[in-house]
Amino acid sequence: MAYDHNNIFARILRGEIPCKKTFENTHALAFQDIAPQAPVHILVIPKGAYISLDDFTAKATPAELDGFWRAVGQVAREAELVTGGYRLIANHGANAHQEVPHFHVHILGGRALGAMLTKT
């Protein structure tokens, strides 16, 4: 699958679509999810054109990998989620219901989140 340069996250990165930015560094952008599933629901996306975690870890430079994952940690700290706990989710492909073909991590917290998966 080729990267779609017109996906919504690519358009956010280009400034074509606004977002409620919470953090940005050289390699990552974090912003509020438009349909939050928890009191805190922040998306962290790499600035590079990566479809999935598999694509990102196979092709990103060491600086991109480091900058992105450090951003994830910093965003969780700045959202004051560390003490109570939080969940990271990165969906990959159709079976995981990945909706946007640009690698991203969901940071969810602010309350007890319950079981990870249902048994369906």
Side-chain angles (χ1 to χ4, degrees):
M1 169 190 274
Y3 182 80
D4 174 10
H5 291 278
N6 287 315
N7 75 68
I8 191 167
F9 293 165
R11 295 179 67 203
I12 286 171
L13 286 167
R14 289 194 302 267
E16 297 171 7
I17 297 175
C19 70
K20 292 183 182 179
K21 180 171 61 171
T22 62
F23 177 86
E24 184 172 15
N25 69 13
T26 304
H27 300 292
L29 174 67
F31 52 91
Q32 299 289 332
D33 192 289
I34 61 169
Q37 302 297 304
V40 176
H41 189 166
I42 300 170
L43 301 176
V44 184
I45 65 173
K47 289 186 174 180
Y50 301 104
I51 298 169
S52 63
L53 176 63
D54 179 65
D55 189 31
F56 183 61
T57 58
K59 297 176 184 172
T61 67
E64 287 175 303
L65 290 163
D66 183 64
F68 177 80
W69 289 112
R70 287 186 185 276
V72 171
Q74 186 167 343
V75 168
R77 286 189 297 280
E78 289 179 1
E80 300 180 348
L81 296 175
V82 175
T83 300
Y86 57 94
R87 182 171 293 158
L88 300 177
I89 299 173
N91 297 316
H92 174 97
N95 284 349
H97 298 275
Q98 181 179 0
E99 294 177 8
V100 179
H102 183 109
F103 171 55
H104 57 286
V105 170
H106 298 256
I107 301 175
L108 300 119
R111 68 167 168 79
L113 297 173
M116 284 244 314
L117 299 172
T118 61
K119 295 183 181 186
T120 58

